[in-house]
Every structure is written in C-alpha cells, then in structure tokens.
PDB file of all heavy atoms in Angstrom:
ATOM      1  N   VAL A  11      91.192  81.390 113.929  1.00 96.00           N
ATOM      2  CA  VAL A  11      90.845  82.096 112.681  1.00 96.00           C
ATOM      3  C   VAL A  11      90.619  83.528 112.858  1.00 96.00           C
ATOM      4  O   VAL A  11      90.908  84.321 111.985  1.00 96.00           O
ATOM      5  CB  VAL A  11      89.567  81.387 112.105  1.00 96.00           C
ATOM      6  CG1 VAL A  11      89.099  82.082 110.779  1.00 96.00           C
ATOM      7  CG2 VAL A  11      89.782  79.915 111.771  1.00 96.00           C
ATOM      8  N   ALA A  12      90.068  83.917 114.043  1.00 95.00           N
ATOM      9  CA  ALA A  12      89.715  85.282 114.370  1.00 95.00           C
ATOM     10  C   ALA A  12      90.969  86.207 114.320  1.00 95.00           C
ATOM     11  O   ALA A  12      90.881  87.415 114.249  1.00 95.00           O
ATOM     12  CB  ALA A  12      89.070  85.431 115.693  1.00 95.00           C
ATOM     13  N   THR A  13      92.174  85.611 114.434  1.00 94.00           N
ATOM     14  CA  THR A  13      93.402  86.458 114.405  1.00 94.00           C
ATOM     15  C   THR A  13      93.900  86.783 113.036  1.00 94.00           C
ATOM     16  O   THR A  13      94.811  87.594 112.858  1.00 94.00           O
ATOM     17  CB  THR A  13      94.575  85.654 115.168  1.00 94.00           C
ATOM     18  OG1 THR A  13      94.875  84.537 114.420  1.00 94.00           O
ATOM     19  CG2 THR A  13      94.140  85.261 116.587  1.00 94.00           C
ATOM     20  N   ILE A  14      93.386  86.141 112.011  1.00 95.00           N
ATOM     21  CA  ILE A  14      93.748  86.355 110.693  1.00 95.00           C
ATOM     22  C   ILE A  14      92.931  87.498 110.046  1.00 95.00           C
ATOM     23  O   ILE A  14      91.688  87.467 110.106  1.00 95.00           O
ATOM     24  CB  ILE A  14      93.574  85.127 109.767  1.00 95.00           C
ATOM     25  CG1 ILE A  14      94.309  83.948 110.433  1.00 95.00           C
ATOM     26  CG2 ILE A  14      94.124  85.389 108.401  1.00 95.00           C
ATOM     27  CD1 ILE A  14      94.118  82.694 109.746  1.00 95.00           C
ATOM     28  N   THR A  15      93.545  88.437 109.386  1.00 94.00           N
ATOM     29  CA  THR A  15      92.859  89.587 108.819  1.00 94.00           C
ATOM     30  C   THR A  15      93.148  89.627 107.293  1.00 94.00           C
ATOM     31  O   THR A  15      94.058  88.973 106.853  1.00 94.00           O
ATOM     32  CB  THR A  15      93.274  90.868 109.498  1.00 94.00           C
ATOM     33  OG1 THR A  15      94.658  91.097 109.312  1.00 94.00           O
ATOM     34  CG2 THR A  15      92.810  90.905 110.956  1.00 94.00           C
ATOM     35  N   GLY A  16      92.465  90.463 106.592  1.00 95.00           N
ATOM     36  CA  GLY A  16      92.636  90.718 105.168  1.00 95.00           C
ATOM     37  C   GLY A  16      91.752  89.912 104.327  1.00 95.00           C
ATOM     38  O   GLY A  16      90.973  88.979 104.799  1.00 95.00           O
ATOM     39  N   MET A  17      91.765  90.203 103.052  1.00 97.00           N
ATOM     40  CA  MET A  17      90.866  89.462 102.099  1.00 97.00           C
ATOM     41  C   MET A  17      91.311  88.089 101.876  1.00 97.00           C
ATOM     42  O   MET A  17      92.405  87.674 102.152  1.00 97.00           O
ATOM     43  CB  MET A  17      90.930  90.157 100.735  1.00 97.00           C
ATOM     44  CG  MET A  17      90.268  91.471 100.667  1.00 97.00           C
ATOM     45  SD  MET A  17      90.330  92.276  99.077  1.00 97.00           S
ATOM     46  CE  MET A  17      89.342  91.089  98.116  1.00 97.00           C
ATOM     47  N   LEU A  18      90.313  87.236 101.455  1.00 98.00           N
ATOM     48  CA  LEU A  18      90.638  85.871 101.044  1.00 98.00           C
ATOM     49  C   LEU A  18      91.385  85.837  99.790  1.00 98.00           C
ATOM     50  O   LEU A  18      91.274  86.738  98.933  1.00 98.00           O
ATOM     51  CB  LEU A  18      89.285  84.996 100.973  1.00 98.00           C
ATOM     52  CG  LEU A  18      88.537  84.819 102.252  1.00 98.00           C
ATOM     53  CD1 LEU A  18      87.198  84.339 101.866  1.00 98.00           C
ATOM     54  CD2 LEU A  18      89.258  83.991 103.234  1.00 98.00           C
ATOM     55  N   SER A  19      92.163  84.769  99.501  1.00 98.00           N
ATOM     56  CA  SER A  19      92.990  84.693  98.354  1.00 98.00           C
ATOM     57  C   SER A  19      92.248  84.272  97.092  1.00 98.00           C
ATOM     58  O   SER A  19      92.575  84.625  95.981  1.00 98.00           O
ATOM     59  CB  SER A  19      94.144  83.754  98.593  1.00 98.00           C
ATOM     60  OG  SER A  19      93.637  82.439  98.615  1.00 98.00           O
ATOM     61  N   GLY A  20      91.146  83.499  97.317  1.00 98.00           N
ATOM     62  CA  GLY A  20      90.427  82.956  96.137  1.00 98.00           C
ATOM     63  C   GLY A  20      90.920  81.519  95.853  1.00 98.00           C
ATOM     64  O   GLY A  20      90.415  80.943  94.849  1.00 98.00           O
ATOM     65  N   GLU A  21      91.825  81.049  96.598  1.00 98.00           N
ATOM     66  CA  GLU A  21      92.365  79.694  96.386  1.00 98.00           C
ATOM     67  C   GLU A  21      91.917  78.763  97.486  1.00 98.00           C
ATOM     68  O   GLU A  21      92.474  78.802  98.652  1.00 98.00           O
ATOM     69  CB  GLU A  21      93.897  79.765  96.332  1.00 98.00           C
ATOM     70  CG  GLU A  21      94.520  80.677  95.275  1.00 98.00           C
ATOM     71  CD  GLU A  21      95.977  80.772  95.318  1.00 98.00           C
ATOM     72  OE1 GLU A  21      96.601  80.011  96.098  1.00 98.00           O
ATOM     73  OE2 GLU A  21      96.529  81.661  94.706  1.00 98.00           O
ATOM     74  N   PRO A  22      90.978  77.922  97.285  1.00 98.00           N
ATOM     75  CA  PRO A  22      90.383  77.109  98.398  1.00 98.00           C
ATOM     76  C   PRO A  22      91.421  76.189  99.093  1.00 98.00           C
ATOM     77  O   PRO A  22      91.205  75.873 100.285  1.00 98.00           O
ATOM     78  CB  PRO A  22      89.377  76.225  97.725  1.00 98.00           C
ATOM     79  CG  PRO A  22      88.971  77.067  96.517  1.00 98.00           C
ATOM     80  CD  PRO A  22      90.121  77.780  96.069  1.00 98.00           C
ATOM     81  N   ALA A  23      92.474  75.820  98.325  1.00 97.00           N
ATOM     82  CA  ALA A  23      93.511  74.953  98.939  1.00 97.00           C
ATOM     83  C   ALA A  23      94.512  75.722  99.764  1.00 97.00           C
ATOM     84  O   ALA A  23      95.362  75.029 100.407  1.00 97.00           O
ATOM     85  CB  ALA A  23      94.176  74.164  97.874  1.00 97.00           C
ATOM     86  N   LYS A  24      94.469  77.034  99.765  1.00 97.00           N
ATOM     87  CA  LYS A  24      95.483  77.793 100.506  1.00 97.00           C
ATOM     88  C   LYS A  24      95.346  77.511 102.045  1.00 97.00           C
ATOM     89  O   LYS A  24      94.238  77.341 102.580  1.00 97.00           O
ATOM     90  CB  LYS A  24      95.290  79.291 100.288  1.00 97.00           C
ATOM     91  CG  LYS A  24      96.313  80.174 100.993  1.00 97.00           C
ATOM     92  CD  LYS A  24      95.996  81.610 100.646  1.00 97.00           C
ATOM     93  CE  LYS A  24      96.878  82.523 101.492  1.00 97.00           C
ATOM     94  NZ  LYS A  24      98.272  82.378 101.262  1.00 97.00           N
ATOM     95  N   SER A  25      96.462  77.534 102.720  1.00 96.00           N
ATOM     96  CA  SER A  25      96.524  77.454 104.131  1.00 96.00           C
ATOM     97  C   SER A  25      97.253  78.613 104.836  1.00 96.00           C
ATOM     98  O   SER A  25      98.064  79.145 104.196  1.00 96.00           O
ATOM     99  CB  SER A  25      97.065  76.108 104.668  1.00 96.00           C
ATOM    100  OG  SER A  25      98.520  76.033 104.225  1.00 96.00           O
ATOM    101  N   TYR A  26      96.901  78.923 106.064  1.00 96.00           N
ATOM    102  CA  TYR A  26      97.481  79.986 106.780  1.00 96.00           C
ATOM    103  C   TYR A  26      98.166  79.418 108.049  1.00 96.00           C
ATOM    104  O   TYR A  26      97.592  78.457 108.622  1.00 96.00           O
ATOM    105  CB  TYR A  26      96.466  81.023 107.179  1.00 96.00           C
ATOM    106  CG  TYR A  26      95.728  81.713 105.998  1.00 96.00           C
ATOM    107  CD1 TYR A  26      94.684  80.969 105.400  1.00 96.00           C
ATOM    108  CD2 TYR A  26      96.114  82.931 105.575  1.00 96.00           C
ATOM    109  CE1 TYR A  26      94.027  81.567 104.250  1.00 96.00           C
ATOM    110  CE2 TYR A  26      95.373  83.423 104.418  1.00 96.00           C
ATOM    111  CZ  TYR A  26      94.386  82.784 103.863  1.00 96.00           C
ATOM    112  OH  TYR A  26      93.741  83.372 102.750  1.00 96.00           O
ATOM    113  N   THR A  27      99.254  79.964 108.483  1.00 93.00           N
ATOM    114  CA  THR A  27      99.898  79.489 109.684  1.00 93.00           C
ATOM    115  C   THR A  27      99.743  80.410 110.835  1.00 93.00           C
ATOM    116  O   THR A  27      99.943  81.625 110.721  1.00 93.00           O
ATOM    117  CB  THR A  27     101.412  79.265 109.454  1.00 93.00           C
ATOM    118  OG1 THR A  27     101.633  78.365 108.320  1.00 93.00           O
ATOM    119  CG2 THR A  27     102.166  78.726 110.580  1.00 93.00           C
ATOM    120  N   ILE A  28      99.172  79.894 111.894  1.00 90.00           N
ATOM    121  CA  ILE A  28      99.071  80.640 113.175  1.00 90.00           C
ATOM    122  C   ILE A  28     100.129  80.192 114.108  1.00 90.00           C
ATOM    123  O   ILE A  28     100.107  79.007 114.522  1.00 90.00           O
ATOM    124  CB  ILE A  28      97.638  80.421 113.715  1.00 90.00           C
ATOM    125  CG1 ILE A  28      96.570  80.744 112.712  1.00 90.00           C
ATOM    126  CG2 ILE A  28      97.460  81.284 115.032  1.00 90.00           C
ATOM    127  CD1 ILE A  28      96.569  82.178 112.286  1.00 90.00           C
ATOM    128  N   GLN A  29     100.982  81.168 114.516  1.00 81.00           N
ATOM    129  CA  GLN A  29     101.993  80.774 115.492  1.00 81.00           C
ATOM    130  C   GLN A  29     101.316  80.737 116.943  1.00 81.00           C
ATOM    131  O   GLN A  29     100.559  81.548 117.334  1.00 81.00           O
ATOM    132  CB  GLN A  29     103.124  81.852 115.542  1.00 81.00           C
ATOM    133  CG  GLN A  29     103.949  81.808 114.311  1.00 81.00           C
ATOM    134  CD  GLN A  29     105.254  82.527 114.481  1.00 81.00           C
ATOM    135  OE1 GLN A  29     105.976  82.332 115.550  1.00 81.00           O
ATOM    136  NE2 GLN A  29     105.555  83.432 113.621  1.00 81.00           N
ATOM    137  N   GLU A  30     101.766  79.701 117.667  1.00 74.00           N
ATOM    138  CA  GLU A  30     101.302  79.511 118.982  1.00 74.00           C
ATOM    139  C   GLU A  30     102.027  80.487 119.934  1.00 74.00           C
ATOM    140  O   GLU A  30     103.201  80.833 119.751  1.00 74.00           O
ATOM    141  CB  GLU A  30     101.459  78.097 119.495  1.00 74.00           C
ATOM    142  CG  GLU A  30     100.786  77.114 118.658  1.00 74.00           C
ATOM    143  CD  GLU A  30      99.325  77.162 118.771  1.00 74.00           C
ATOM    144  OE1 GLU A  30      98.747  77.729 119.681  1.00 74.00           O
ATOM    145  OE2 GLU A  30      98.599  76.631 117.788  1.00 74.00           O
ATOM    146  N   PRO A  31     101.449  80.950 121.065  1.00 68.00           N
ATOM    147  CA  PRO A  31     102.067  81.787 122.034  1.00 68.00           C
ATOM    148  C   PRO A  31     103.424  81.079 122.533  1.00 68.00           C
ATOM    149  O   PRO A  31     103.341  79.865 122.845  1.00 68.00           O
ATOM    150  CB  PRO A  31     101.040  81.931 123.154  1.00 68.00           C
ATOM    151  CG  PRO A  31      99.768  81.722 122.448  1.00 68.00           C
ATOM    152  CD  PRO A  31      99.968  80.676 121.408  1.00 68.00           C
ATOM    153  N   GLY A  32     104.467  81.828 122.549  1.00 63.00           N
ATOM    154  CA  GLY A  32     105.713  81.318 122.960  1.00 63.00           C
ATOM    155  C   GLY A  32     106.499  80.543 121.934  1.00 63.00           C
ATOM    156  O   GLY A  32     107.552  79.948 122.261  1.00 63.00           O
ATOM    157  N   ALA A  33     105.987  80.526 120.658  1.00 58.00           N
ATOM    158  CA  ALA A  33     106.664  79.767 119.642  1.00 58.00           C
ATOM    159  C   ALA A  33     108.007  80.509 119.315  1.00 58.00           C
ATOM    160  O   ALA A  33     108.066  81.721 119.453  1.00 58.00           O
ATOM    161  CB  ALA A  33     105.819  79.641 118.462  1.00 58.00           C
ATOM    162  N   PRO A  34     109.010  79.773 118.923  1.00 59.00           N
ATOM    163  CA  PRO A  34     110.266  80.472 118.524  1.00 59.00           C
ATOM    164  C   PRO A  34     110.053  81.390 117.405  1.00 59.00           C
ATOM    165  O   PRO A  34     109.207  81.150 116.541  1.00 59.00           O
ATOM    166  CB  PRO A  34     111.176  79.244 118.159  1.00 59.00           C
ATOM    167  CG  PRO A  34     110.231  78.150 117.698  1.00 59.00           C
ATOM    168  CD  PRO A  34     109.024  78.310 118.707  1.00 59.00           C
ATOM    169  N   PRO A  35     110.854  82.417 117.324  1.00 52.00           N
ATOM    170  CA  PRO A  35     110.688  83.430 116.237  1.00 52.00           C
ATOM    171  C   PRO A  35     110.977  82.800 114.833  1.00 52.00           C
ATOM    172  O   PRO A  35     111.648  81.815 114.691  1.00 52.00           O
ATOM    173  CB  PRO A  35     111.750  84.471 116.566  1.00 52.00           C
ATOM    174  CG  PRO A  35     112.776  83.726 117.338  1.00 52.00           C
ATOM    175  CD  PRO A  35     111.981  82.746 118.179  1.00 52.00           C
ATOM    176  N   ALA A  36     110.419  83.339 113.790  1.00 45.00           N
ATOM    177  CA  ALA A  36     110.614  82.821 112.414  1.00 45.00           C
ATOM    178  C   ALA A  36     112.051  83.048 112.058  1.00 45.00           C
ATOM    179  O   ALA A  36     112.776  83.864 112.424  1.00 45.00           O
ATOM    180  CB  ALA A  36     109.712  83.641 111.508  1.00 45.00           C
ATOM    181  N   ALA A  37     112.540  82.115 111.184  1.00 46.00           N
ATOM    182  CA  ALA A  37     113.880  82.048 110.700  1.00 46.00           C
ATOM    183  C   ALA A  37     114.102  83.324 109.853  1.00 46.00           C
ATOM    184  O   ALA A  37     113.117  83.867 109.345  1.00 46.00           O
ATOM    185  CB  ALA A  37     114.207  80.783 110.050  1.00 46.00           C
ATOM    186  N   GLU A  38     115.327  83.701 109.672  1.00 40.00           N
ATOM    187  CA  GLU A  38     115.625  84.893 108.794  1.00 40.00           C
ATOM    188  C   GLU A  38     115.061  84.668 107.463  1.00 40.00           C
ATOM    189  O   GLU A  38     115.195  83.673 106.746  1.00 40.00           O
ATOM    190  CB  GLU A  38     117.122  85.042 108.727  1.00 40.00           C
ATOM    191  CG  GLU A  38     117.527  86.313 107.939  1.00 40.00           C
ATOM    192  CD  GLU A  38     119.025  86.554 107.993  1.00 40.00           C
ATOM    193  OE1 GLU A  38     119.755  85.799 108.635  1.00 40.00           O
ATOM    194  OE2 GLU A  38     119.434  87.485 107.260  1.00 40.00           O
ATOM    195  N   GLY A  39     114.347  85.698 106.953  1.00 38.00           N
ATOM    196  CA  GLY A  39     113.695  85.633 105.610  1.00 38.00           C
ATOM    197  C   GLY A  39     112.303  85.134 105.653  1.00 38.00           C
ATOM    198  O   GLY A  39     111.608  85.137 104.684  1.00 38.00           O
ATOM    199  N   GLU A  40     111.802  84.660 106.895  1.00 40.00           N
ATOM    200  CA  GLU A  40     110.368  84.278 107.003  1.00 40.00           C
ATOM    201  C   GLU A  40     109.596  85.248 107.786  1.00 40.00           C
ATOM    202  O   GLU A  40     110.149  86.018 108.626  1.00 40.00           O
ATOM    203  CB  GLU A  40     110.324  82.931 107.782  1.00 40.00           C
ATOM    204  CG  GLU A  40     111.023  81.765 107.021  1.00 40.00           C
ATOM    205  CD  GLU A  40     110.842  80.474 107.876  1.00 40.00           C
ATOM    206  OE1 GLU A  40     110.785  80.500 109.046  1.00 40.00           O
ATOM    207  OE2 GLU A  40     110.814  79.431 107.197  1.00 40.00           O
ATOM    208  N   GLU A  41     108.329  85.381 107.405  1.00 39.00           N
ATOM    209  CA  GLU A  41     107.499  86.355 108.106  1.00 39.00           C
ATOM    210  C   GLU A  41     106.673  85.547 109.233  1.00 39.00           C
ATOM    211  O   GLU A  41     105.846  84.726 108.858  1.00 39.00           O
ATOM    212  CB  GLU A  41     106.554  87.021 107.079  1.00 39.00           C
ATOM    213  CG  GLU A  41     107.220  87.839 106.101  1.00 39.00           C
ATOM    214  CD  GLU A  41     106.300  88.549 105.210  1.00 39.00           C
ATOM    215  OE1 GLU A  41     105.234  88.968 105.777  1.00 39.00           O
ATOM    216  OE2 GLU A  41     106.541  88.648 104.055  1.00 39.00           O
ATOM    217  N   GLY A  42     106.922  85.824 110.459  1.00 39.00           N
ATOM    218  CA  GLY A  42     106.220  85.178 111.488  1.00 39.00           C
ATOM    219  C   GLY A  42     105.036  85.869 111.957  1.00 39.00           C
ATOM    220  O   GLY A  42     104.856  86.218 113.143  1.00 39.00           O
ATOM    221  N   ILE A  43     104.078  86.139 111.037  1.00 43.00           N
ATOM    222  CA  ILE A  43     102.815  86.814 111.434  1.00 43.00           C
ATOM    223  C   ILE A  43     101.707  85.909 111.079  1.00 43.00           C
ATOM    224  O   ILE A  43     101.789  85.102 110.208  1.00 43.00           O
ATOM    225  CB  ILE A  43     102.706  88.177 110.754  1.00 43.00           C
ATOM    226  CG1 ILE A  43     102.654  87.933 109.212  1.00 43.00           C
ATOM    227  CG2 ILE A  43     103.746  89.097 111.124  1.00 43.00           C
ATOM    228  CD1 ILE A  43     102.423  89.285 108.482  1.00 43.00           C
ATOM    229  N   ALA A  44     100.572  86.065 111.826  1.00 48.00           N
ATOM    230  CA  ALA A  44      99.427  85.241 111.559  1.00 48.00           C
ATOM    231  C   ALA A  44      98.856  85.510 110.138  1.00 48.00           C
ATOM    232  O   ALA A  44      98.818  86.605 109.654  1.00 48.00           O
ATOM    233  CB  ALA A  44      98.272  85.619 112.557  1.00 48.00           C
ATOM    234  N   GLY A  45      98.627  84.364 109.459  1.00 47.00           N
ATOM    235  CA  GLY A  45      98.064  84.506 108.149  1.00 47.00           C
ATOM    236  C   GLY A  45      98.959  84.374 107.032  1.00 47.00           C
ATOM    237  O   GLY A  45      98.686  84.530 105.871  1.00 47.00           O
TER     238      GLY A  45
END
C-alpha cells in the first residue's frame, strides 16, 4: 500500500493493482504503474 500515492477516489469498492518485481510489462495501451 505504501507504494501507492495520490488522493483516494471516494469509491470504497475501487481496487488498485500493484505489479510485483520482475512482472512482465503492461500490454500496449495499459498503464503498468502502481495504483
């Protein structure tokens, strides 16, 4: 959780994706950043 920055969305059901070290890069058109 400590790797995610920025304000909360205000949507309790929202989820954030944290990529594990060494994970394959995001596919074209996807943003492979924490949060």
Side-chain angles (χ1 to χ4, degrees):
V11 177
T13 66
I14 308 176
T15 59
M17 290 180 64
L18 295 168
S19 70
E21 301 173 10
K24 179 180 174 63
S25 64
Y26 302 79
T27 301
I28 305 297
Q29 288 195 52
E30 300 295 339
E38 184 176 354
E40 295 182 330
E41 295 184 39
I43 60 175

